[in-house]
Amino acid sequence: MHFNAVLLYRFMILILDFGSQVTQLIARRVREAGVYCEIWPFSADPEKIRQLAPRGIILSGGPASVLDDQSPRAPQVVWDLNVPILGICYGQQTMAAQLGGAVDAGKTREFGRANITIQQPSALFGNFWPVGHAPQVWMSHGDHVAKLPQGFRVIASSEGAPFAAIAHEEKKIFGVQFHPEVAHTPDGAKLFQQFVHGVCGCAPDWTMTSFRKSEIEKIRTKVGQEKVICGLSGGVDSAVAAVLIHEAIRDQLTCIFVDHGLLRAGEREQVETLFKQHYNIPLVVVDAATEFLGALAGVSDPEVKRKTIGKLFIDVFEREAKKIGGAAFLAQGTLYPDVIESVSFTGGPSVTIKSHHNVGGLPARMNLKLLEPLRELFKDEVRALGRDLGLPEAFVKRHPFPGPGLAIRVLGDVTPERLEILRNADAVYLDAIRQAGLYDDIWQAFAVLLPVRSVGVMGDGRTYDNVLALRAVTSVDGMTADSFAFSHEFLQRVSTRLVNEVRGINRVVYDVTSKPPGTIEWE
């Protein structure tokens, strides 16, 4: 989970993950402050932590109880490095327990919004939370600190948490019972800024311009004179990866775009125009629709679809690599959320979330090494890098599109007829969103063809056609999502268009489900 970033940036923060669902938000806040950070498991090798030499360490929240015998603890190296430490929720509790304090289960719990009262000035609060101020925060705890370790003092309290924030100012060790990383703590970003800048002394040297420069050098060093093939999906991630790699090694890169028959309307033409005409990057377009659709015939389980498509992608790339000859690397647009969701730090289900990504490596028979230049980035950082590289704004702003394409949005059997209905419906839906000026307000919008048919009346005749579901969500980094609140007028207008313009649809529904951390695709 680490990338030797200490060699690339002067300052970096290490986040030790104890299994919180929102650990990735801590990383977001730190990076928004212009400081590079990485998330490592609490069980990381102490010697590797020492070698990383972080300027500060953040201990995340987590679902365990410090009172349980087998609950996780921070490694001793955390306390031995003599760098600033910030413990959040469970991180505060294990900090207190490990340094000589005590934690109780208590009779009161706090879940949701609360207000804390600032009791004493602290380097953690700087000037933005003065004594007597009562900021709103987000609490989510049952256990709480009951006794402070030696040298600590209370700097903030709440009705349900007398030790809502604690500090050892001399050692620069701080703990907060609340979650400053979530949006429900309005000033949480300021707290992280104060910790990384004011306490840890980190300058904001994490920018996409600095990343671009350092990553180009890394690519050149890693690749040398070898050839690279890059798999394009039509989405932002693989496009940005390809343009970045091309800037580094020029004609050593050949891009491969597989038309698997599961693309959105006009996708193939858009990719060919961008890479062949705009960037003049060598591009091989493989027409493999018959091969993919044949393999998907009769397959209805979404996970089987993913694995089938993933295997075929590997087969196609292997075949094309042999045709190109001499390629040593396969490049792809893996992002940091893909990595986080594909690694289970605490034994949870996250190991299966991103099964269609090759974040765990490639089959040995391919004899290709992975090149993943975006592996350190969140989605919005990829968009910023795309702008820095000069990609057209319309392409940079494109909504995410899953690797398995429309196959997982055709629920049930995937047939050419059902794909054509969905492709046309998806195009009408996105066009209506653009015409309403809402496209940039939405993280991802797509249509889903349900395995349901409905009786309806159109004009003087009865129909027996498909039901279409629409989904649109807002998100920052693709790890969580809330449904987008379309007006009734818009939904009525787009539903009318879909029924009138797409043959095979006679009923439309809208999905308003929010999504917890994890993939936001609907399948």
Side-chain angles (χ1 to χ4, degrees), residues 309-456:
I309 293 168
K311 180 182 181 301
L312 275 179
F313 262 117
I314 293 295
D315 292 343
V316 170
F317 285 130
E318 186 176 17
R319 190 168 65 224
E320 294 303 320
K322 290 178 180 178
K323 292 180 183 178
I324 294 170
F329 291 88
L330 172 61
Q332 59 183 29
T334 303
L335 305 190
Y336 202 32
D338 299 330
V339 177
I340 294 170
E341 292 178 338
S342 299
V343 177
S344 180
F345 287 166
T346 56
S350 60
V351 288
T352 62
I353 291 177
K354 290 287 185 178
S355 59
H356 62 290
H357 282 277
N358 297 308
V359 295
L362 295 170
R365 72 171 193 275
M366 289 191 70
N367 198 29
L368 287 172
K369 293 168 283 188
L370 272 177
L371 183 63
E372 299 171 310
L374 311 183
R375 193 179 171 96
E376 303 171 20
L377 303 183
F378 287 93
K379 190 76 172 189
D380 57 316
E381 293 172 325
V382 172
R383 296 189 193 280
L385 177 60
R387 293 186 179 96
D388 202 65
L389 288 165
L391 265 78
E393 190 66 13
F395 204 92
V396 170
K397 289 182 177 180
R398 295 187 77 181
H399 291 178
F401 189 59
L406 296 178
I408 59 167
R409 295 177 182 171
V410 172
L411 302 194
D413 291 344
V414 179
T415 66
E417 295 75 22
R418 300 191 77 213
L419 281 169
E420 189 63 17
I421 292 172
L422 179 59
R423 186 176 290 112
N424 293 335
D426 198 65
V428 170
Y429 181 35
L430 293 178
D431 180 65
I433 289 173
R434 288 189 177 94
Q435 288 192 19
L438 300 174
Y439 189 85
D440 293 343
D441 297 331
I442 297 170
W443 167 268
Q444 188 182 46
F446 54 87
V448 178
L449 191 64
L450 301 181
V452 176
R453 301 186 75 182
S454 172
V455 174

Side-chain angles (χ1 to χ4, degrees), residues 233-382:
S233 68
V236 177
D237 306 337
S238 61
V240 172
V243 174
L244 179 66
I245 294 168
H246 183 254
E247 185 168 307
I249 61 173
R250 296 299 174 184
D251 291 343
Q252 291 170 244
L253 170 70
T254 299
C255 291
I256 299 174
F257 179 73
V258 179
D259 184 352
H260 47 33
L262 309 171
L263 301 172
R264 291 172 289 195
E267 191 126 44
R268 175 171 174 168
E269 295 76 13
Q270 292 168 4
V271 170
E272 289 188 279
T273 299
L274 178 66
F275 284 87
K276 285 185 176 180
Q277 299 180 18
H278 189 84
Y279 283 102
N280 196 30
I281 296 176
L283 175 65
V284 174
V285 178
V286 183
D287 191 347
T290 301
E291 186 175 355
F292 276 80
L293 294 181
L296 290 170
V299 177
S300 58
D301 183 276
E303 189 62 19
V304 176
K305 290 178 184 178
R306 287 179 175 279
K307 291 179 178 178
T308 300
I309 293 168
K311 180 182 181 301
L312 275 179
F313 262 117
I314 293 295
D315 292 343
V316 170
F317 285 130
E318 186 176 17
R319 190 168 65 224
E320 294 303 320
K322 290 178 180 178
K323 292 180 183 178
I324 294 170
F329 291 88
L330 172 61
Q332 59 183 29
T334 303
L335 305 190
Y336 202 32
D338 299 330
V339 177
I340 294 170
E341 292 178 338
S342 299
V343 177
S344 180
F345 287 166
T346 56
S350 60
V351 288
T352 62
I353 291 177
K354 290 287 185 178
S355 59
H356 62 290
H357 282 277
N358 297 308
V359 295
L362 295 170
R365 72 171 193 275
M366 289 191 70
N367 198 29
L368 287 172
K369 293 168 283 188
L370 272 177
L371 183 63
E372 299 171 310
L374 311 183
R375 193 179 171 96
E376 303 171 20
L377 303 183
F378 287 93
K379 190 76 172 189
D380 57 316
E381 293 172 325
V382 172

Side-chain angles (χ1 to χ4, degrees), residues 141 196 512:
H141 69 97
V196 299
V512 297

